[in-house]
Amino acid sequence: MQHRLRTTRRRTASVVVTAALAALVGTTVSVVPTPAPASAATREVESPDFASQVHGDPWDYSNVEDQNTDEVNNSSSLRDGKLRVHLVGDTAVSLVSTTSGSLPYGRDGGSRSVNASTYRSLSFSMDQPFSKQIGAVYWWTCREKTSACGGGTTFEVTAGSHLYDLALSKASTLQARKPWSGKIVSVRLDPVVLPTGKSGTASIDWVRLHGSGGAKAAYPPGTHGSTVVVPRPRPVVDSPNPDQGEDLATTQRGRPWDFTSPAAMQGATLRNATITGYGSSGMTARNSGSAKGDSQLLLPVSRFSASKYHRLSIDYTYDGRYSLAGTPGGGKMARLIWWDATSSVPQIGNDVLTYSGRNARRISIDLNKQDDLDEDALAPRLGWSKRTVSGLRFDPNEDPGALTWHLKALHLRADPSAVGKTTVRFHDAAWVSGTTATVSVARTAPTATWHAIARDVPVTKGSNSVVFSVADRPASSYRIRVTLTHPGVPSATAEAPSNIVMHH
């Protein structure tokens, strides 16, 4: 069955910035040249920062995850710890991005939204060549990113390297003027709004979407003039994690779907594509035939519980650029399709956006956490959770051209499990000497409370561990969280990326 290509509809509402924006009165912004170092330093604690606290990774452009350049509408690059962006009239950088009609994963704002009451200001360091121009910040409270659910503000820019501080909680002047409040699912920075004919380059050192603090607490940890900003903890729980769960293919057929050799294809069927080889990047194939935009991989499965095997992970890349257009070179989205044991109607999963080149990430989705079905899925709409699945299909892309793609692995896993005890592993991505940890657990029942299993644990740089024993607790599924404290600094907490099922 060919699924109708709907990539054109996936374009979210664009916001056209016109010359009239120059007349708007935006948020007052302080543009502060970096002062010379002073002999006596003032100590300030780092402000709560969205990327640091939610992703465990600040927007300092030291790694490719800090900015998906497929979500920048003009040429851009990450190098030497800076985001470089080509400036023309409509240059826009999605700091927090989301696309309606897709399954959110990774850093998508649909699953990791911004709490506007916690993070109220935007600060960044930028070098650009223009004065007497403005920049703009946009935000949206809906994944469709229509003007009706949007707000924003403008700010003046000054040529050279400067620090910009914007209070987003002040008056919203753009789109429908929605205030900065509630859950924000998308945030966009237009570094400089330029008239036709002008162009240049902006170099951004860092961006902070942050809460309150001292005069320079919004800046990254380190020395800023006469002020030393000391870091908050950045806890990251490494184990338990989704990759540790029981794998469906391994359980049913004795080996995973790790398509680096022909053996993994045993029993599988590929349609509307031609396999050209196998290697370290997986199975390489090219869309072919009369339905190039509907490549299909039918995976051999016996009936299984969708509630148990619900953690989908895909390692997949392709040649060429990212686009959602409904023309050759577009359709860069995958989807999962399955059959429920009670019906012959295929259950069509929603779009899974797949990015290009250095932006490609392992796709990791908990299929039990949202409505996974496409808006145009056929009735009956049975979904994933609590069903029995009797058939499974993966569609790598909907590009109507002869796209070459590479599928390295596909897994459906259960939550990890352990008998008697397990080891919780964690690290502090902003470690300082004297850091301590408290590790707590809670059953996954809605009313469950947290109980500390270890307190005041000395934390070393790198990996740390605490044993969780279930000997004196009920056998159950548990959540795990780690709270870290730096000397004289407020604590920070992170949860494990997966629950763990504990047995006696």
Side-chain angles (χ1 to χ4, degrees):
M1 183 198 76
Q2 181 173 356
H3 183 67
R4 180 166 57 89
L5 181 69
R6 301 180 326 285
T7 53
T8 303
R9 180 173 63 82
R10 297 303 178 200
R11 288 291 190 187
T12 56
S14 62
V15 180
V16 179
V17 181
T18 67
L21 269 177
L24 290 173
V25 179
T27 296
T28 300
V29 54
S30 58
V31 181
V32 186
T34 303
S39 56
T42 302
R43 181 181 183 273
E44 291 186 9
V45 176
E46 175 187 18
S47 295
D49 168 58
F50 170 75
S52 297
Q53 294 194 320
V54 175
H55 305 313
D57 181 19
W59 293 325
D60 58 10
Y61 306 113
S62 61
N63 51 281
V64 295
E65 290 83 3
D66 287 344
Q67 179 61 55
N68 181 345
T69 55
D70 284 340
E71 295 288 357
V72 180
N73 68 341
N74 286 311
S75 60
S76 61
S77 64
L78 281 170
R79 63 180 187 273
D80 302 324
K82 299 179 187 294
L83 171 64
R84 290 176 170 84
V85 183
H86 179 62
L87 298 173
V88 291
D90 62 346
T91 298
V93 178
S94 289
L95 300 174
V96 180
S97 61
T98 194
T99 300
S100 64
S102 68
L103 285 180
Y105 69 92
R107 301 189 180 191
D108 192 299
S111 56
R112 296 191 175 186
S113 59
V114 179
N115 184 334
S117 64
T118 299
Y119 309 104
R120 300 187 297 276
S121 300
L122 186 73
S123 298
F124 53 96
S125 173
M126 179 173 68
D127 186 0
Q128 58 80 41
F130 299 101
S131 293
K132 297 183 180 179
Q133 302 292 338
I134 62 168
V137 180
Y138 293 89
W139 57 80
W140 291 268
T141 58
C142 68
R143 296 189 74 204
E144 292 74 21
K145 292 186 286 191
T146 59
S147 178
C149 72
T153 188
T154 61
F155 58 95
E156 296 179 4
V157 297
T158 301
S161 179
H162 297 284
L163 305 180
Y164 294 81
D165 295 324
L166 285 69
L168 303 180
S169 55
K170 291 187 177 180
S172 174
T173 58
L174 302 178
Q175 304 188 91
R177 301 184 178 183
K178 288 289 185 182
W180 179 264
S181 75
K183 290 186 176 181
I184 308 295
V185 298
S186 186
V187 181
R188 191 183 95 188
L189 171 65
D190 292 12
V192 187
V193 180
L194 292 176
T196 302
K198 282 193 173 184
S199 65
T201 300
S203 176
I204 302 174
D205 292 337
W206 51 264
V207 176
R208 293 247 153 173
L209 182 55
H210 61 89
S212 59
K216 293 184 179 178
Y219 305 159
T223 301
H224 302 273
S226 61
T227 303
V228 174
V229 178
V230 297
R232 287 175 178 262
R234 251 191 282 149
V236 179
V237 185
D238 303 302
S239 176
N241 66 66
D243 290 346
Q244 297 168 331
E246 178 185 332
D247 175 62
L248 173 69
T250 302
T251 298
Q252 290 194 346
R253 63 197 293 265
R255 63 166 299 149
W257 294 314
D258 61 353
F259 303 98
T260 54
S261 67
M265 279 294 290
Q266 185 176 0
T269 302
L270 182 64
R271 296 174 179 168
N272 303 326
T274 301
I275 298 173
T276 61
Y278 295 88
S280 59
S281 60
M283 171 179 62
T284 296
R286 182 180 299 112
N287 289 358
S288 61
S290 58
K292 292 187 182 71
D294 193 29
S295 53
Q296 305 173 3
L297 178 64
L298 280 73
L299 297 164
V301 295
S302 303
R303 293 187 178 191
F304 65 89
S305 165
S307 294
K308 179 178 179 180
Y309 297 100
H310 61 102
R311 294 192 176 274
L312 173 68
S313 69
I314 307 166
D315 291 295
Y316 168 79
T317 58
Y318 51 80
D319 298 349
R321 300 179 62 185
Y322 170 74
S323 171
L324 296 182
T327 54
K332 298 306 195 305
M333 59 178 71
R335 72 178 70 248
L336 194 70
I337 295 177
W338 62 94
W339 283 261
D340 185 274
T342 64
S343 174
S344 61
V345 175
Q347 301 298 298
I348 302 172
N350 219 334
D351 306 351
V352 177
L353 304 189
T354 58
Y355 295 102
S356 67
R358 296 176 71 190
N359 298 309
R361 308 280 183 270
R362 169 178 287 188
I363 297 165
S364 182
I365 299 173
D366 185 345
L367 296 171
N368 281 348
K369 278 199 169 181
Q370 67 277 307
D371 179 4
D372 307 292
L373 293 176
D374 187 88
E375 295 89 341
D376 297 334
L378 305 172
R381 295 171 57 92
L382 302 176
W384 185 270
S385 181
K386 300 180 181 179
R387 310 302 306 188
T388 297
V389 174
S390 58
L392 195 65
R393 184 180 114 191
F394 173 63
D395 291 9
N397 63 83
E398 296 185 0
D399 188 337
L403 176 69
T404 295
W405 47 271
H406 317 274
L407 180 62
K408 186 173 183 178
L410 186 149
H411 299 279
L412 269 175
R413 292 189 173 99
D415 285 337
S417 63
V419 176
K421 61 183 179 180
T422 189
T423 300
V424 179
R425 301 188 187 278
F426 60 93
H427 70 277
D428 184 354
W431 179 85
V432 299
S433 179
T435 301
T436 59
T438 296
V439 180
S440 304
V441 301
R443 298 174 67 182
T444 54
T447 58
T449 56
W450 290 98
H451 300 278
I453 60 170
R455 298 180 186 272
D456 300 322
V457 178
V459 175
T460 61
K461 189 174 184 178
S463 182
N464 296 263
S465 63
V466 166
V467 173
F468 168 34
S469 172
V470 77
D472 57 349
R473 300 179 188 277
S476 181
S477 175
Y478 284 87
R479 299 157 61 198
I480 294 177
R481 74 180 186 190
V482 173
T483 301
L484 298 181
T485 304
H486 288 178
V489 174
S491 61
T493 297
E495 284 196 37
S498 173
N499 301 331
I500 185 164
V501 180
M502 299 297 295
H503 304 277
H504 288 307

